[in-house]
Amino acid sequence: MKNSTKILLAVMGIVEALLAVILFNALNTGMLLKLLVVGAVVVISLIADGAILHAGSASVVSDAKKLKDADDYIKAFNAWLNEDTPFENYIKIAIKQLESLKRKQQALRAVLDDSKDSPFLTTAAEVDQYILANSKRILNRVMIYDQGDVAKYNEHAAYLETILGEDAHVLSDFENLILEVSQIGDNATAAATPCLTELTNALRSVRSGEDAWDQQNQHFDPPQQMMMQ
């Protein structure tokens, strides 16, 4: 748990204690009844605080059954930023990539007519599925890392570096596709947009490389910085 979370808990406790004192003084009843009422309020407040913290905890928010779209993954990643994890920089990059994906999807739909069948919308859906699948892989790595086994850090960091690099590649190709479509207009065709082929090939390439990467289980130090899209 991060220090900021601990501070928040402390502040909440102080506020609740002050409210209990105010309530105690405001009640015009016997001492025993005052103590019972204030005690009940304190217990209810503690239960509510615990429920709120549990509902927003990284492990709960990261439940795969609850992760449906980019917003869900952003929420899960933000929850992990409140935890004591060494992968904070990678998580922030993942969040920026998901936000970039959302903007690009909106931009493409602003150019195209959603009511029409379009190979671009199909490809956009595939890009969305790919980035979300990689987001799930990132979450899994963050969750399974044992901070007591520091020797494993470079292995996990290298994996995250590779996944984020693939996402950056796909998002770059996706942006190029959107630029081509925007220049041609709503009547753009697959033949007139070579970036569609490039993006499709990129998706196939990174997918075929995923299993190979997991099997190789390479060990190396990740670069210090990564360019973001």
Side-chain angles (χ1 to χ4, degrees):
M1 183 183 296
K2 277 194 169 184
N3 289 333
S4 58
T5 305
K6 295 178 181 178
I7 293 173
L8 176 61
L9 290 175
V11 172
M12 291 171 62
I14 293 173
V15 172
E16 290 164 357
L18 290 174
L19 290 175
V21 171
I22 294 173
L23 179 62
F24 180 84
N25 293 326
L27 288 174
N28 187 21
T29 60
M31 180 64 69
L32 179 58
L33 184 56
K34 280 186 175 183
L35 292 174
L36 288 175
V37 172
V38 172
V41 172
V42 171
V43 170
I44 292 173
S45 297
L46 291 175
I47 293 175
D49 292 344
I52 293 173
L53 289 173
H54 177 71
S57 66
S59 58
V60 173
V61 178
S62 300
D63 185 350
K65 297 178 181 178
K66 300 178 181 179
L67 302 176
K68 305 298 182 182
D69 54 28
D71 287 329
D72 291 335
Y73 279 97
I74 290 174
K75 182 179 179 180
F77 282 132
N78 278 320
W80 276 103
L81 289 180
N82 291 324
E83 300 290 334
D84 185 17
T85 173
F87 302 115
E88 182 175 328
N89 290 336
Y90 295 104
I91 293 173
K92 289 180 179 179
I93 292 174
I95 292 173
K96 289 182 179 179
Q97 289 182 337
L98 286 168
E99 291 172 342
S100 175
L101 172 66
K102 290 176 59 180
R103 290 193 298 270
K104 288 175 172 55
Q105 295 283 12
Q106 292 171 357
L108 180 62
R109 282 165 173 74
V111 175
L112 298 174
D113 182 354
D114 284 353
S115 65
K116 296 180 180 179
D117 292 332
S118 169
F120 307 113
L121 293 177
T122 300
T123 300
E126 292 178 353
V127 171
D128 197 72
Q129 293 171 4
Y130 176 80
I131 299 297
L132 294 184
N134 270 357
S135 295
K136 182 177 180 180
R137 293 184 179 93
I138 293 170
L139 278 176
N140 288 340
R141 283 292 176 132
V142 172
M143 286 190 290
I144 66 174
Y145 176 66
D146 180 5
Q147 295 196 42
D149 189 2
V150 181
K152 288 287 187 178
Y153 172 80
N154 285 340
E155 176 183 342
H156 290 295
Y159 180 84
L160 296 179
E161 185 81 17
T162 298
I163 292 295
L164 292 170
E166 291 172 351
D167 285 350
H169 183 191
V170 169
L171 287 171
S172 177
D173 286 346
F174 189 34
E175 181 174 349
N176 291 335
L177 173 63
I178 296 171
L179 288 174
E180 282 192 349
V181 174
S182 65
Q183 291 170 359
I184 299 174
D186 193 32
N187 295 321
T189 63
T193 51
C195 280
L196 178 62
T197 301
E198 293 180 12
L199 178 56
T200 302
N201 291 337
L203 286 170
R204 292 174 179 172
S205 175
V206 292
R207 282 170 181 157
S208 63
E210 288 165 4
D211 292 337
W213 167 259
D214 290 332
Q215 291 174 2
Q216 289 172 1
N217 194 24
Q218 298 180 13
H219 300 261
F220 59 88
D221 293 329
Q224 295 298 315
Q225 298 179 344
M226 172 179 291
M227 297 299 294
M228 286 300 306
Q229 296 299 321

